[in-house]
Amino acid sequence: EYDGEFSAWTRTERLYADFETLMVLHATAYSARFVDAYLGEYRRVYDPTPTEYEALAARLRRRTAAGDCFFLAAFTGERDWNDFALSNSMWRIYLSTSDGRKVKASSVGEVKSDDSIYQHFFPYFERFYEGYLVCFSCSAKPGKDGASTSPILHEGLDWFEMQFRSPVGAVDLRWVLGD
């Protein structure tokens, strides 16, 4: 069921200063279980041709094989702060795990706000939010930006978190795994 997996793999946090909301972040991890639920929901909603469905499935599986990816929707009090996809962004995004690994995002791509497919699958992606696809590569040489040749998210972790850092503040989105 899509709604259950969506809830399980989505986190939300807010950054406040003096009772003012500076930022709201929502992120959904493209875990194997979420991808399977996404594909099931896509099939239910669109009833695609087998070719179309297999192309989407292959694209999503290639993405997850290359690293760990998340859909991110961000609202910021100042429009200039919502610059996650810029090469000179004020934000640094990291993925940290319970086994002591920490890697910097290898890519942050902007998702157009008028993309109705994303709006269906990620209902928090509303007006006034900017959308991003954030990926952490597992194909870089070990040690470079903390990257590894093995998946960052793997069996046996107790938790993982996306960490957002800037002069404006810090926000952590944490997923607790297991029991």
Side-chain angles (χ1 to χ4, degrees):
E1 170 186 270
Y2 182 76
D3 292 339
E5 291 301 324
F6 173 78
S7 294
W9 294 103
T10 298
R11 296 294 180 271
T12 299
E13 284 294 336
R14 290 165 176 76
L15 178 62
Y16 298 101
D18 300 323
F19 304 106
E20 180 183 351
T21 301
L22 300 180
M23 181 167 59
V24 181
L25 294 177
H26 304 276
T28 302
Y30 277 88
S31 70
R33 287 177 48 190
F34 175 76
V35 168
D36 287 345
Y38 183 102
L39 289 169
E41 177 71 355
Y42 188 91
R43 179 175 272 159
R44 184 190 72 76
V45 170
Y46 291 103
D47 190 25
T49 66
T51 303
E52 179 186 11
Y53 179 83
E54 287 306 317
L56 174 63
R59 188 170 68 248
L60 289 174
R61 293 198 173 106
R62 269 193 315 275
R63 179 187 298 159
T64 56
D68 298 296
C69 295
F70 298 77
F71 178 74
L72 170 70
F75 166 82
T76 56
E78 297 289 330
R79 184 135 176 84
D80 291 346
W81 295 351
N82 207 338
D83 68 350
F84 295 94
L86 296 179
S87 61
N88 64 343
S89 172
M90 68 187 294
W91 295 96
R92 300 297 176 266
I93 306 172
Y94 303 98
L95 183 61
S96 179
T97 63
S98 60
D99 64 357
R101 295 175 68 188
K102 182 174 181 175
V103 295
K104 186 178 176 185
S106 56
S107 67
V108 181
E110 191 170 358
V111 174
K112 299 297 179 194
S113 60
D114 61 352
D115 190 325
S116 60
I117 293 176
Y118 276 94
Q119 290 170 347
H120 171 77
F121 287 96
F122 305 97
Y124 53 71
F125 186 32
E126 301 174 330
R127 188 174 179 197
F128 304 117
Y129 279 80
E130 298 294 330
Y132 303 93
L133 183 62
V134 181
C135 294
F136 300 87
S137 176
C138 64
S139 61
K141 292 181 182 173
K144 183 179 183 211
D145 283 335
S148 169
T149 55
S150 62
I152 300 148
L153 302 182
H154 58 82
E155 293 287 328
L157 290 175
D158 296 322
W159 57 264
F160 65 89
E161 68 184 12
M162 285 183 78
Q163 301 172 335
F164 300 83
R165 302 292 185 263
S166 82
V168 172
V171 176
D172 296 328
L173 299 173
R174 181 175 279 220
W175 287 258
V176 177
L177 306 172
D179 304 337

